[in-house]
């Protein structure tokens, strides 16, 4: 999950997403995104002081802004606004606020040069420098994770995301594309940590029987760099176009990576918010599933520095991942039924 954590996802995956009519306070996905802003669009008056990145966008596009809205998404300090102009056109501008967000923007720009306009928003302008600014097309279409903190997947929406990820796996990354996040093996540490049992994620007997297999499976996973990876596919990082295609936004964790990485990180969040069991959707690459699940399980075991709802979300994701791994390896369930329901 990408919580107050963005690249802390470098240490714990999150690609989280959902199905329809799911309350975000329950699922946690949009609750994380909700921290960005609750403000209404600001409208220009004679005395209005425009944010600096809005002024830059005006100069680049050559039109005066009429309204600018900080969207209900994004968990970094980056300056971001959806800007609408008098002629009805619109752009989305994102400006770096510090060294970290500057690097995120460079990564996003590098990837959008390859996938923008097809899998992500098209680039309108790129202003490099110590604090770069990225201007892209604005995507005003259907967003499953909307501003009212409710995720609504319509019939066909999740399928559209699957189709987009299938097509994205065919895109060969350019040689200079940054590498996507890929975790080191973690299960050799997890199985020796009492917190795995203390957190209620498995029984001591289950861990005794299968801990060694989890470690072996994790260590067999192989990183790959043959595909473009978004790195954070979830409901508030995508929209559905009028023609039914899905378009992904926020490519700051993207890069060249494993062809199944996005799907494997996406499916647990769909399950979290009412979707199908990941094991019924994807039955392959158990080594990759195990490797990518490790950081999520670790965070759930040791969560102590955030709100209670976030701890619940992390634990539910860990449960989903452990059950998925057990199903793929044909193991008995990790617990004997004492878990709280996922909903």
């Amino acid at each position: 999950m990408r919580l107050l954590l963005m690249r802390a996802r470098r240490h714990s995956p999150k690609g989280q997403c959902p199905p329809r009519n799911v309350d975000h306070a329950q699922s946690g996905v949009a609750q994380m995104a909700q921290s960005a802003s609750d403000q209404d669009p600001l409208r220009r008056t004679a005395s209005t002081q425009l944010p600096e990145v809005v002024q830059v966008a005006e100069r680049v596009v050559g039109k005066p802004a009429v309204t600018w809205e900080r969207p209900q998404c994004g968990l970094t300090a980056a300056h971001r606004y959806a800007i609408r102009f008098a002629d009805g056109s619109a752009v989305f501008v994102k400006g770096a606020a510090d060294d970290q967000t500057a690097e995120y923007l460079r990564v996003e720009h590098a990837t959008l040069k390859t996938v923008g306009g097809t899998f992500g928003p098209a680039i309108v302008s790129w202003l490099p420098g110590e604090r770069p600014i990225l201007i892209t097309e604005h995507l005003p279409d259907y967003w499953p994770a909307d501003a009212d903190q409710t995720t609504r997947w319509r019939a066909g929406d999740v399928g559209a995301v699957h189709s987009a990820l299938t097509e994205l796996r065919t895109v060969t990354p350019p040689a200079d594309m940054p590498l996507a996040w890929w975790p080191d093996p973690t299960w050799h540490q997890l199985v020796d940590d009492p917190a795995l049992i203390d957190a209620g994620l498995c029984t001591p007997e289950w861990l005794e029987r299968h801990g060694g297999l989890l470690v072996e499976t994790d260590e067999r996973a192989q990183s790959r760099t043959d595909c473009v990876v978004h790195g954070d596919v979830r409901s508030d990082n995508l929209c559905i176009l009028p023609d039914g295609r899905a378009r992904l936004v926020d490519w700051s964790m993207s890069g060249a990576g494993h062809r199944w990485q996005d799907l494997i990180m996406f499916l647990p969040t769909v399950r979290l918010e009412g979707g199908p069991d990941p094991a019924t959707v994807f039955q392959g690459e158990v080594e990759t599933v195990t490797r990518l699940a490790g950081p999520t399980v670790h965070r759930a075991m040791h969560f102590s520095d955030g709100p209670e709802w976030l701890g619940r979300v992390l634990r539910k994701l860990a449960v989903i991942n452990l059950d998925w791994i057990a199903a793929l390896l044909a193991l008995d369930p990790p617990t004997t039924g004492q878990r709280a329901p996922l909903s």
Side-chain angles (χ1 to χ4, degrees):
M1 315 209 47
R2 189 212 229 154
L3 49 133
L4 358 147
L5 78 199
M6 274 296 272
R7 291 270 175 176
R9 198 37 186 301
R10 293 298 186 191
H11 307 288
S12 79
K14 179 223 160 232
Q16 305 334 334
C17 215
R20 66 197 97 162
N21 296 327
V22 175
D23 189 285
H24 274 311
Q26 184 178 54
S27 72
V29 174
Q31 189 165 358
M32 292 188 290
Q34 184 68 20
S35 62
S37 171
D38 293 321
Q39 69 183 35
D40 294 326
L42 298 177
R43 187 167 295 276
R44 188 173 201 143
T45 66
S47 60
T48 300
Q49 177 62 44
L50 277 67
E52 182 177 354
V53 293
V54 176
Q55 296 179 44
V56 171
E58 283 189 324
R59 293 195 295 269
V60 169
V61 178
K63 303 174 185 178
V66 175
T67 64
W68 53 97
E69 179 181 9
R70 185 171 172 84
Q72 316 244 2
C73 64
L75 293 164
T76 71
H79 309 294
R80 55 178 72 81
Y81 293 93
I83 305 171
R84 190 163 298 281
F85 303 104
D87 63 0
S89 62
V91 298
F92 188 82
V93 60
K94 189 184 294 187
D98 50 32
D99 291 344
Q100 185 180 60
T101 52
E103 180 58 24
Y104 293 166
L105 276 178
R106 294 185 188 104
V107 169
E108 183 164 11
H109 173 251
T111 302
L112 286 180
K113 287 192 297 182
T114 299
V115 302
T118 305
F119 300 99
I123 297 172
V124 173
S125 186
W126 168 247
L127 290 77
E130 183 178 0
R131 295 289 182 265
I133 294 175
L134 176 64
I135 305 174
T136 65
E137 67 173 318
H138 178 50
L139 300 173
D141 300 298
Y142 186 77
W143 296 81
D146 211 342
D148 64 357
Q149 300 190 52
T150 300
T151 298
R152 296 182 178 89
W153 290 100
R154 306 165 303 179
D157 285 349
V158 173
V161 180
H162 281 273
S163 296
L165 295 181
T166 299
E167 293 181 34
L168 185 61
R169 288 195 291 272
T170 69
V171 178
T172 301
D176 62 348
M177 179 171 284
L179 297 181
W181 167 82
W182 179 259
D184 293 327
T186 55
W187 281 98
H188 64 289
Q189 299 172 328
L190 298 179
V191 299
D192 288 334
D193 190 334
L196 186 61
I197 296 170
D198 294 343
L201 299 177
C202 68
T203 64
E205 296 77 15
W206 188 88
L207 189 59
E208 178 69 23
R209 288 193 299 272
H210 306 305
L213 180 58
L214 293 176
V215 173
E216 294 171 10
T217 305
D218 184 20
E219 291 177 347
R220 289 200 304 270
Q222 298 291 319
S223 64
R224 296 170 59 172
T225 59
D226 55 349
C227 294
V228 175
V229 170
H230 177 276
D232 199 16
V233 181
R234 62 186 192 188
S235 56
D236 57 311
N237 274 346
L238 62 90
C239 71
I240 308 298
L241 302 180
D243 63 6
R245 291 180 296 124
R247 193 80 68 87
L248 305 176
V249 300
D250 194 354
W251 291 77
S252 61
M253 301 184 71
S254 62
H258 196 290
R259 61 186 289 104
W260 296 112
Q261 185 166 340
D262 279 332
L263 181 62
I264 288 171
M265 295 174 67
F266 172 65
L267 289 177
T269 63
V270 178
R271 175 60 172 163
L272 175 69
E273 299 174 338
D277 183 340
T280 66
V281 179
F282 187 75
Q283 294 84 33
E285 297 276 343
V286 63
E287 297 87 357
T288 308
V289 172
T290 304
R291 174 66 63 85
L292 291 172
T296 298
V297 174
H298 181 271
R299 280 196 59 83
M301 290 163 53
H302 295 286
F303 178 79
S304 62
D305 59 349
E308 288 186 9
W309 64 262
L310 181 53
R312 291 193 297 270
V313 168
L314 290 171
R315 184 179 176 280
K316 290 175 183 178
L317 285 172
V319 167
I320 292 167
N321 277 281
L322 270 170
D323 286 347
W324 188 8
I325 293 169
L328 294 180
L329 292 172
L331 307 179
D332 50 303
T335 69
T336 54
Q338 309 97 318
R339 289 177 178 159
L342 292 179
S343 59

